[in-house]
Amino acid sequence: MSRRSSGNGKTPKGQPRKPRRDETEQDVPDAELLLALSQLNLSMEVLEPEVCKTLVPKCINLLDAKDMKVRVEAVTALFHQLRFGNKAMKAHCEDLCKALQRDGVMIPKVESSGDGENLAMKYQRGLSGIITSLQYSYPDIFAKHFRLISEFLVQWTGSKKVEQTVAGCEYWAKITSPPVPVPFVQQWMQPVVTTLPVLVPNLMRCMVYRDRHSEFLEQYGSTTAENSHLLPLTPDVETFSNIRNYAALGFENISRIFQAEVVPVFRPLLEKWLTGDDWRELEAAVLAFSAFTEAAGMPTSMRDVYPTVVPKILEFLAHPKPLIRSIACFAMPHFVNLSIKGLKDPTPKVLRSVTALLKDDCLEVRSIAIRSLATILAYCTCDIGAHIRTLVEALVSADEAMTGESRSVYFECTGHLFGRIASELSADDVKQLLAPVMRQWKDLEWKGKNYVESADEVSIVRLCQTLCVIANFSKSLFVPYTPEIFTKASVHLEKILESSKDGSNDEKSVDIITGHLVAYLDLLSAIFDGQGADAFECMSLHGVVKILHEILSDSSLHNKVHQSALALLGHLAQHATGPMEPALETFVDIIASKISNHGNKLSGLQNPGKNSTDEVANNALWALVFIAKEKNANREKLFELVNDLIRIFKQTSGHPGCIVNAAWALTTMCALWPKQTVGVIVKEDVFLHLSCLLQTQFPRELEKVEIFKNICSVVALVVPKIPPEFWTHFLTAAALMTTSDEDLERSLNSLVHEIRATLGNAGWSKLSQEMGPQLSYTLRKKYKLY
């Protein structure tokens, strides 16, 4: 299909044409300069200021060169210097912005030799990258020139040249919000607003399928067409797909930023295309409507459109055209949570239709249908309990139809189903749903730190994440599968650790090692979350404690790995039913190292990936709580941490989780060994901070209840010895505390009455005045102090 343009390569309407540099004035680069640029682009070196001063002006001049290959070298060099934050570029930004307003630069008419299309694509996307870098790095300079540049960006989206269309749509796809600081927002927004009558239709036209693209999607992977899986994905089809995706995301971004201004342009086009005869425009209209809803919800100015349009999209789920069926699948998750006047909840019909399409003849329909179902199960707010049979049967029967990338989504869909209705599934449902997942688990292999999984492979990380959800929510129903999970996970953890120690880790291999270690560790934690002590035996049989000790002793591993390892350590300590090898006390020194620098500036360590972060310290403190509770805990070692724990929970602006867990760990130790620690907890500053902490809102009630219980058990031993002025904040916390924990209620009631008796009438009256009438009344009523 031919592409319509917003212009004919002319200067934007209403603007004087910028004079083109005469061809005789254009720099003819010598071989030495081209070689230097080529080497610079390969090395991605940041230029020194003096070199920049000489080379950058030449690169700017070369943006008008007659040879596209020369232009590509110049634009790449400029983009790299901006992208890598070369501060010397600021001196050249004015000239660069002026160059970006020239017809010859932005809309080149240059003959390309050799790989012309590829060079033209690199050039246009390089220009887009330069514009993006300028607006983020030098908005004060860029904003003054954006009006003319923005018109070229809009003109690109309507160009007949594919490379310009890609670059234009890609620019708008990256703009999730005004890309400049607040002082320059209006200078960026005003030019865009004036171009919306052209930009919105251009982006919508870019969403329209090209013939070769739609033909490929309709035929590839068909269950009836012979050898359909052998159809090649040609570069032009891939480019058309990029244009469509960038355009949809760009329109979503524009609708988010300019909601009110977009509606008058978008609404007439939407209504026209939805009622027209061109199925491609109809399909693009549904895509655009979905993007608009994702960005803006259902604004008042469009509220009357939804009761008409959404039922149409529901009907499209049974449309004879495969790509209309697929876009209807894609669109409906955007609408199931909306309260649309006059429209009955569409979820039941959507679930029936989408599950039926999991076995559609067209691969594209099957692929979008499984993604749609996964989204609905993850985010739909309505009750899906009535559809258990439909969902289970659909997922079980769709097993063989899900291939490539769709298979990973299929497993995620199974995980979402467990997350929503695990308690309503029968043992037979669980067995059928887990059969494909566990077959895939058996086939997983660790292929080394340099192996990059293809899009068609089921990712180890994604499968582990799915199993995390299933293990967590299915609880005892997952017990039969636990030994198999532990067997493979422990073997793979050992292989990955061995691979990490060969000393040849680049950034990509570190990411692979980190991702896989975290995935397996989190999966084992999820099993403990779901099964508790029942999982302990499997852990003992497969040497998981030894693996954890090795991981936590290795400072070269990323902090995310240590964070997950400490979470698993906490679960092991919490649910231990027997001895471990190595013993839990061997981890105390490791935990001490994780929390010793928390809240302090670390000297000599600059790599944040290896520093003790808030999340690592938080999990270390959480694990410490349960290590302290172990029957044979080493008191002397634990007492060495007391000062660090006090320092952490006294931080008024520290990480909330660290503050809570430090207080929990300290009060746990005090409650376990009150004779040795009572002097710690009743120090004025410690008792005051703990009492104030208990007046705040906790992320979870559990920790607050446990800390309160611990304090009550210790303080009850020494009530007469505590100065009266200490009680004000503690009793304020007691007055504010609401809990369903009966043990805590009894402990608080007993302690408050003892404090009342110890203080006597005069002391209690003084304390009540300090608390104020409202709190003192609440305290009296709550604990029946009459």
Side-chain angles (χ1 to χ4, degrees):
M1 181 181 289
S2 63
R3 310 307 298 158
R4 283 173 277 181
S5 173
S6 62
N8 298 307
K10 298 177 181 178
T11 300
K13 187 177 178 180
Q15 298 300 324
R17 179 179 291 277
K18 294 278 182 178
R20 286 180 60 99
R21 299 171 70 238
D22 189 87
E23 289 186 4
T24 58
E25 296 178 6
Q26 292 181 17
D27 293 317
V28 180
D30 57 28
E32 187 177 341
L33 174 58
L34 277 181
L35 180 61
L37 285 176
S38 179
Q39 290 174 342
L40 174 64
N41 293 334
L42 286 172
S43 68
M44 298 193 215
E45 175 188 354
V46 176
L47 294 174
E48 293 294 330
E50 285 305 312
V51 181
C52 205
K53 186 176 181 180
T54 304
L55 191 59
V56 169
K58 292 182 178 180
C59 288
I60 293 173
N61 286 337
L62 291 178
L63 295 179
D64 275 315
K66 291 183 287 185
D67 189 336
M68 182 57 76
K69 188 174 181 179
V70 174
R71 289 191 181 214
V72 169
E73 295 290 1
V75 82
T76 304
L78 292 168
F79 174 56
H80 282 167
Q81 296 308 306
L82 287 166
R83 181 185 172 197
F84 297 144
N86 188 338
K87 294 181 180 179
M89 287 295 292
K90 183 172 185 178
H92 307 282
C93 285
E94 190 76 35
D95 290 338
L96 182 52
C97 286
K98 289 177 180 177
L100 294 174
Q101 298 173 64
R102 293 202 295 265
D103 272 3
V105 172
M106 300 295 276
I107 313 290
K109 297 176 182 178
V110 176
E111 294 297 326
S112 301
S113 57
D115 190 10
E117 288 186 9
N118 190 39
L119 286 173
M121 184 73 74
K122 287 181 179 179
Y123 175 72
Q124 294 290 163
R125 295 183 76 176
L127 289 178
S128 178
I130 287 174
I131 293 169
T132 300
S133 297
L134 284 170
Q135 67 192 10
Y136 282 114
S137 301
Y138 304 105
D140 52 334
I141 300 172
F142 177 78
K144 295 183 295 184
H145 301 276
F146 183 63
R147 185 173 61 83
L148 283 175
I149 293 173
S150 69
E151 294 193 9
F152 280 115
L153 289 169
V154 173
Q155 191 173 340
W156 283 357
T157 61
S159 174
K160 293 180 180 179
K161 293 186 176 181
V162 169
E163 64 272 11
Q164 291 176 14
T165 311
V166 170
C169 291
E170 185 177 20
Y171 172 83
W172 300 109
K174 293 178 179 178
I175 306 299
T176 55
S177 60
V180 291
V182 173
F184 308 103
V185 165
Q186 286 306 312
Q187 284 179 277
W188 183 87
M189 292 181 69
Q190 286 173 358
V192 180
V193 168
T194 62
T195 64
L196 287 177
V198 177
L199 178 59
V200 170
N202 280 358
L203 290 173
M204 287 186 66
R205 292 185 193 106
C206 288
M207 295 182 221
V208 175
Y209 274 117
R210 314 286 183 101
D211 287 342
R212 291 197 296 279
H213 188 191
S214 61
E215 288 167 4
F216 172 82
L217 291 177
E218 288 177 344
Q219 294 174 27
Y220 183 77
S222 168
T223 57
T224 56
E226 188 176 354
N227 295 327
S228 63
H229 63 287
L230 299 177
L231 285 172
L233 176 62
T234 56
D236 62 336
V237 170
E238 194 167 1
T239 299
F240 296 154
S241 177
N242 287 338
I243 290 173
R244 175 179 160 86
N245 292 336
Y246 287 145
L249 186 54
F251 179 65
E252 179 185 320
N253 292 336
I254 292 299
S255 299
R256 183 180 297 109
I257 301 169
F258 303 99
Q259 180 190 128
E261 295 83 359
V262 162
V263 170
V265 183
F266 171 55
R267 180 168 173 159
L269 269 174
L270 174 70
E271 293 170 347
K272 178 182 177 182
W273 285 18
L274 283 174
T275 55
D277 297 328
D278 188 333
W279 75 265
R280 289 176 176 81
E281 289 188 345
L282 185 151
E283 193 276 347
V286 176
L287 176 59
F289 189 54
S290 303
F292 178 86
T293 304
E294 180 71 22
M298 189 171 59
T300 304
S301 57
M302 290 283 285
R303 196 173 292 274
D304 60 321
V305 173
Y306 284 77
T308 304
V309 174
V310 173
K312 280 180 179 286
I313 298 174
L314 269 171
E315 293 174 8
F316 293 160
L317 289 166
H319 198 279
K321 260 294 188 187
L323 296 182
I324 298 293
R325 295 197 296 274
S326 71
I327 197 61
C329 277
F330 172 82
M332 282 314 303
H334 294 84
F335 312 123
V336 290
N337 289 336
L338 297 179
S339 179
I340 301 172
K341 187 176 180 180
L343 182 64
K344 186 180 177 182
D345 179 15
T347 306
K349 183 174 180 179
V350 172
L351 287 174
R352 287 194 302 272
S353 300
V354 170
T355 51
L357 292 174
L358 295 178
K359 299 180 76 174
D360 196 272
D361 171 64
C362 177
L363 174 62
E364 179 70 4
V365 177
R366 298 196 300 273
S367 175
I368 300 298
I370 193 64
R371 283 167 174 75
S372 175
L373 184 58
T375 303
I376 291 169
L377 291 177
Y379 300 109
C380 179
T381 56
C382 72
D383 180 18
I384 62 169
H387 309 286
I388 290 178
R389 292 270 53 83
T390 299
L391 292 166
V392 171
E393 290 170 7
L395 286 173
V396 171
S397 63
D399 177 15
E400 295 182 3
M402 295 294 118
T403 57
E405 166 70 11
S406 296
R407 190 148 189 82
S408 290
V409 183
Y410 169 71
F411 292 136
E412 290 171 6
C413 202
T414 302
H416 290 317
L417 184 64
F418 273 90
R420 291 292 294 268
I421 54 172
S423 61
E424 301 175 54
L425 295 173
S426 67
D428 190 54
D429 290 335
V430 173
K431 183 178 179 180
Q432 290 186 78
L433 288 167
L434 283 183
V437 181
M438 295 310 295
R439 279 202 312 273
Q440 191 69 48
W441 176 259
K442 288 179 182 178
D443 292 340
L444 289 184
E445 291 296 336
W446 166 250
K447 297 180 180 178
K449 62 185 179 183
N450 296 316
Y451 180 77
V452 180
E453 295 163 328
S454 71
D456 289 337
E457 291 181 272
V458 174
S459 160
I460 291 177
V461 172
R462 290 174 70 178
L463 188 65
C464 284
Q465 290 168 344
T466 293
L467 283 165
C468 277
V469 177
I470 294 171
N472 202 331
F473 285 94
S474 60
K475 301 188 182 302
S476 61
L477 290 172
F478 197 73
V479 169
Y481 308 95
T482 299
E484 192 173 339
I485 297 293
F486 268 92
T487 300
K488 174 154 285 188
S490 59
V491 170
H492 280 202
L493 283 169
E494 289 176 339
K495 287 183 177 179
I496 298 168
L497 284 174
E498 184 180 345
S499 178
S500 72
K501 293 175 181 176
D502 68 7
S504 59
N505 297 327
D506 56 19
E507 186 176 350
K508 185 176 288 186
S509 64
V510 168
D511 287 344
I512 292 172
I513 288 168
T514 299
H516 285 72
L517 285 174
V518 168
Y520 283 119
L521 292 167
D522 288 351
L523 174 54
L524 299 185
S525 284
I527 291 175
F528 273 100
D529 264 341
Q531 299 174 27
D534 291 339
F536 184 77
E537 185 179 350
C538 283
M539 180 279 305
S540 302
L541 290 173
H542 293 93
V544 173
V545 183
K546 183 179 178 183
I547 293 171
L548 277 181
H549 196 277
E550 185 177 350
I551 288 173
L552 291 169
S553 301
D554 188 345
S555 60
S556 69
L557 294 173
H558 197 282
N559 63 344
K560 290 180 181 178
V561 178
H562 284 194
Q563 179 185 341
S564 293
L566 287 162
L568 180 54
L569 176 64
H571 283 108
L572 289 174
Q574 182 181 12
H575 299 294
T577 57
M580 298 187 207
E581 181 58 41
L584 278 177
E585 70 173 59
T586 61
F587 289 92
V588 175
D589 288 337
I590 292 173
I591 288 177
S593 71
K594 303 298 181 189
I595 68 174
S596 61
N597 285 313
H598 178 71
N600 295 333
K601 291 184 177 179
L602 301 180
S603 58
L605 293 173
Q606 299 302 322
N607 185 347
K610 296 177 183 178
N611 285 351
S612 179
T613 65
D614 286 340
E615 290 75 17
V616 172
N618 183 41
N619 285 4
L621 291 162
W622 182 76
L624 182 62
V625 172
F626 301 106
I627 291 175
K629 291 182 179 182
E630 191 205 10
K631 184 178 180 181
N632 300 314
N634 187 324
R635 283 189 245 178
E636 288 71 24
K637 270 195 171 185
L638 291 168
F639 287 166
E640 291 174 6
L641 303 179
V642 165
N643 288 335
D644 274 331
L645 295 176
I646 292 173
R647 174 180 55 79
I648 291 170
F649 82 70
K650 285 171 66 176
Q651 293 173 356
T652 55
S653 60
H655 185 280
C658 291
I659 291 171
V660 168
N661 284 326
W664 189 11
L666 177 69
T667 58
T668 296
M669 286 189 240
C670 291
L672 287 168
W673 307 294
K675 290 183 180 180
Q676 294 90 336
T677 58
V678 68
V680 172
I681 207 168
V682 297
K683 284 182 180 178
E684 181 176 5
D685 60 336
V686 175
F687 192 69
L688 177 64
H689 274 89
L690 287 172
S691 298
C692 290
L693 177 64
L694 291 172
Q695 295 174 35
T696 63
Q697 185 74 34
F698 277 45
R700 297 191 308 170
E701 184 187 1
L702 170 67
E703 287 83 356
K704 191 171 189 176
V705 167
E706 291 299 316
I707 294 170
F708 241 131
K709 283 182 180 178
N710 292 336
I711 293 174
C712 288
S713 69
V714 176
V715 171
L717 302 175
V718 290
V719 170
K721 297 180 181 180
I722 295 180
E725 61 269 20
F726 280 27
W727 291 120
T728 305
H729 287 291
F730 179 79
L731 291 173
T732 298
L736 296 172
M737 183 63 183
T738 56
T739 179
S740 57
D741 190 289
E742 294 180 359
D743 290 339
L744 177 57
E745 284 184 339
R746 282 193 294 270
S747 296
L748 276 172
N749 190 66
S750 173
L751 182 58
V752 170
H753 277 270
E754 186 177 354
I755 295 168
R756 168 73 177 81
T758 302
L759 290 175
N761 291 334
W764 186 259
S765 177
K766 182 181 179 182
L767 186 145
S768 296
Q769 290 177 0
E770 291 174 355
M771 289 180 66
Q774 187 173 348
L775 278 173
S776 60
Y777 172 76
T778 302
L779 187 69
R780 287 198 310 274
K781 185 177 180 181
K782 189 179 184 70
Y783 297 102
K784 298 181 174 58
L785 297 165
Y786 305 117

